[in-house]
Each structure stands twice: as structure tokens, then as C-alpha cells.
Amino acid sequence: EVGLVESGGGLVEPGGSLRLSCTASGAPMRNYAMNWVRQTPGKGLEWISYINNSGKGTYYADSVKGRFTISRDNARNSLYLQMNSLRAEDTAMYYCVSSALAMVPKFDSWGQGTLVTVSS
Amino acid sequence: DIQLTQAPSSLSASVGDRVTITCRASQNINKYLNWYQQKPGKAPKLLIHSASNLQTGVPSRFSGSGSGTDFTLTLSGVQPEDFASYYCQQSLSFPRTFGQGTKLEIK
């Protein structure tokens, strides 16, 4: 099972940008598809982005499409989320989540999360 | 998008009780359904994948069933450490979606 640690969260003004990072340990990140999942305070879970093992395939939730970009560097065992044009409703805990190759994709391992607050 | 509706949104139980949480999908998702547990201040943890397969290390008092549109998570003999929130999630298609969650509280 891969260990995941997120970083890069913080306070940003509306319209601003932030870049989240996630570092994997214990197993090569190239073995996993990766996702970002967020959770607003006191609310439920929202999947926001996916990237396949090679980095050539990505998907986004409509709520972030065109504003967020997922990327990865397998040589550095790292995953990224570039967040632009941030809005108050993007305030959430952001989790880096792995998905091992499987017939039914699942969110196997989760990082501890990094908190993003969008406020003036 | 595939909508997942969980019921109930919250429930109270005593240690040793059997509890059942349901998850209904807005369309047929076969067995592309996973369950997660989340404790306060912690990241979610995978409990069950492919509707009925227990993730390694998860106690056998947890079980899952169902296929198509109707799914169930059952806890047989609730333990103090099981009081948490539970979420279902579909992996048939993008966007991946979650149920709204069920909070299991101590009676």
C-alpha cells in the first residue's frame, strides 16, 4: 500500500491560484492511477480529478473543469493539482488518493489531506 | 452523472447492534460500488470494494451486498470504533460520485 502526503494548501484570495503537491512513498507512484478528492467543512466527499498511470489520460469534475489541472511526475513520485481562478466554494480539505489497477477502480489509499481556504 | 442516494443520513445504535446502510444508484452500475469509513478529522478508509469484497485488514463484521442499483453495507455487531461516517462511491464512469454519507452515532 502506498503512503501519500499532500502539501501546498493555505489561504488564498478569490481569483487566486494555488498548487497542491502529493508525494508517494512505499511503492512507485507509476503503479497507480491517481485522484484528487475534496471535502468541504462538515460536508460530504467530492471527486474532482483523475490521472492515469502514464499521465496521458485525465478527467475532471464539471465544478473545476477549465480552472484546475492535474499532472504527475512519476520519476519524482509526485502528483500535482494546479488550481486557478479559485472561488469561495473551492474551500475544502483536498485529499490525494491512489487507485491500483483493478477491475473495479477503487480509492485504495488516501493522504491526510491539505486544507485550502479561499477568502478575502 | 450517476447519483448515489444513501439512507439513512444518520442513525443511532448501541454496541453489539446490527446496522444496515443502503445506497441506491440512479442507473445500473453492476458491482462498481465501493464503501468507505471516515472518522472525525481523518481521511476516509476503503472498507469494501466491488460491492461485496472486504478490503484487506477490515474486520469481518463488515459486509456488503447488492448489484445493479441497490446496495447494502451491514455491520454485524457494532463496536465502539465503528461509530463514524460511511460513504458509498461508484466507479462505473466519470465523474466518480459519492453518496451523501451516513453518520453512525452511539445511542
Side-chain angles (χ1 to χ4, degrees):
Chain A
E1 188 171 293
V2 65
L4 301 168
V5 177
E6 303 93 337
S7 60
L11 175 63
V12 60
E13 292 187 349
S17 298
L18 212 54
R19 188 194 197 206
L20 305 184
S21 298
C22 171
T23 302
S25 62
M29 185 179 272
R30 66 177 180 272
N31 292 347
Y32 300 88
M34 298 298 295
N35 304 265
W36 288 98
V37 174
R38 68 185 181 185
Q39 185 169 34
T40 50
K43 296 288 180 62
L45 299 163
E46 179 189 16
W47 168 87
I48 57 170
S49 189
Y50 162 94
I51 187 167
N52 69 2
N53 299 50
S54 68
K56 291 184 167 60
T58 59
Y59 291 92
Y60 297 92
D62 285 346
S63 58
V64 306
K65 199 175 295 182
R67 300 188 298 123
F68 290 10
T69 302
I70 191 171
S71 62
R72 64 191 296 161
D73 183 340
N74 286 338
R76 295 179 183 271
N77 268 344
S78 293
L79 174 73
Y80 307 101
L81 185 69
Q82 178 66 43
M83 304 187 295
N84 298 331
S85 302
L86 282 161
R87 306 166 180 167
E89 55 264 36
D90 295 318
T91 294
M93 182 70 78
Y94 284 74
Y95 294 103
C96 166
V97 187
S98 66
S99 292
L101 185 66
M103 180 66 71
V104 175
K106 55 192 181 291
F107 297 143
D108 310 291
S109 293
W110 299 63
Q112 86 288 349
T114 188
L115 183 62
V116 172
T117 303
V118 184
S119 175
S120 54
Chain B
D1 297 1
I2 297 172
Q3 311 299 322
L4 297 178
T5 303
Q6 284 183 236
S9 55
S10 65
L11 75 157
S12 298
S14 300
V15 172
D17 283 354
R18 176 185 172 97
V19 301
T20 298
I21 299 169
T22 65
C23 178
R24 174 163 288 178
S26 60
Q27 65 186 73
N28 183 355
I29 59 171
N30 299 305
K31 291 201 167 202
Y32 285 75
L33 193 283
N34 306 309
W35 289 97
Y36 302 85
Q37 177 194 64
Q38 186 178 31
K39 297 181 179 179
K42 300 291 187 183
K45 169 189 165 185
L46 177 65
L47 291 178
I48 289 173
H49 62 91
S50 310
S52 58
N53 293 295
L54 209 60
Q55 178 70 353
T56 303
V58 174
S60 59
R61 61 181 179 272
F62 289 92
S63 63
S65 64
S67 66
T69 60
D70 292 304
F71 302 86
T72 300
L73 173 68
T74 300
L75 287 78
S76 301
V78 174
Q79 297 300 300
E81 60 267 30
D82 300 335
F83 293 97
S85 293
Y86 293 86
Y87 296 89
C88 56
Q89 174 258 325
Q90 66 80 20
S91 288
L92 178 68
S93 63
F94 289 100
R96 306 298 196 215
T97 48
F98 290 88
Q100 81 277 17
T102 296
K103 188 173 184 179
L104 176 59
E105 298 173 307
I106 301 174
K107 186 182 289 183

